[in-house]
Amino acid sequence: MRLMKGMLGLLLAMPLLASAEEVGQVSTVFKFVGPNDRIVVEAFDDPKVDGVTCYLSRAKTGGVKGGLGLAEDRAEASIACRQVGPIRFKGELKDGDEVFKERTSLVFKTMQVVRFLDKKRNTLVYLVYSDRLIEGSPQNAVTAIPILPWPTAQ
């Protein structure tokens, strides 16, 4: 019972992160056994900013290890975020807030998207990067969205 309460407390204390939905994928390397290597395009909405959707493309390793979830995916990723409606903030934004995080190996590697607010230029900046428990990766990509008024339908 104490363990269950502790786990529930841990889950409630975790930051609110976006979950991605797959938009599409292409096969890049044929594998005889297990799924093919592929590039996956996923979309997620910023959980703290209404009106912003980000699109993330990244490699997914196939084969037997990939099919079992044991393969380590490559660190490369690309990101494009767009204003898809009126931008409204759900609370205060902190620079470097984690918006999205997904495991890219069994234990040690994750892909993360963090957000920065460039107040001087009135712009939201999103950075995707990969990290490891021991050693990170310099592979990264960035995208920016100017905060503009959203036209209303007439």
Side-chain angles (χ1 to χ4, degrees), residues 17-23 40-47 53-58 99-102 113:
L17 294 179
S19 60
E21 63 183 80
E22 188 174 307
V23 174
V40 177
V41 177
E42 299 169 315
F44 62 89
D45 298 324
D46 188 323
T53 298
C54 293
Y55 297 90
L56 184 66
S57 70
R58 59 194 183 88
V99 178
F100 176 81
K101 185 175 189 175
E102 189 165 304
V113 176

Side-chain angles (χ1 to χ4, degrees), residues 3 6 34 43 63 84 102 104 129:
L3 178 62
V84 295
E102 189 165 304
T104 54
Y129 68 97

Side-chain angles (χ1 to χ4, degrees), residues 83 85-86 148-154:
Q83 182 175 358
L148 301 172
W150 190 254
T152 57
Q154 296 178 345

Side-chain angles (χ1 to χ4, degrees), residues 2 6 14 19 21 34 40 46 56 59 62 70 101 103 105 121 123 139-140 152:
R2 289 177 69 193
M14 288 177 63
S19 60
E21 63 183 80
V40 177
D46 188 323
L56 184 66
L70 302 174
K101 185 175 189 175
R103 183 179 55 82
S105 76
R121 294 165 190 84
T123 301
Q139 304 271 348
N140 64 81
T152 57

Side-chain angles (χ1 to χ4, degrees), residues 32-129:
F32 284 106
V33 179
N36 293 342
D37 289 356
R38 60 200 189 282
I39 297 172
V40 177
V41 177
E42 299 169 315
F44 62 89
D45 298 324
D46 188 323
K48 282 190 161 181
V49 182
D50 281 339
V52 172
T53 298
C54 293
Y55 297 90
L56 184 66
S57 70
R58 59 194 183 88
K60 297 278 283 187
T61 304
V64 174
K65 283 186 177 180
L68 296 173
L70 302 174
E72 183 171 307
D73 293 333
R74 298 178 59 106
E76 295 91 0
S78 177
I79 188 167
C81 297
R82 297 294 181 259
Q83 182 175 358
V84 295
I87 291 181
R88 285 190 279 280
F89 300 117
K90 300 176 187 175
E92 187 177 335
L93 301 183
K94 296 180 207 154
D95 277 345
D97 266 351
E98 195 172 87
V99 178
F100 176 81
K101 185 175 189 175
E102 189 165 304
R103 183 179 55 82
T104 54
S105 76
L106 185 59
V107 177
F108 301 111
K109 191 175 177 185
T110 60
M111 178 143 318
Q112 300 179 53
V113 176
V114 294
R115 174 195 343 94
F116 299 93
L117 176 59
D118 182 351
K119 289 181 182 178
K120 180 179 177 182
R121 294 165 190 84
N122 201 34
T123 301
L124 292 165
V125 180
Y126 293 83
L127 169 70
V128 61
Y129 68 97

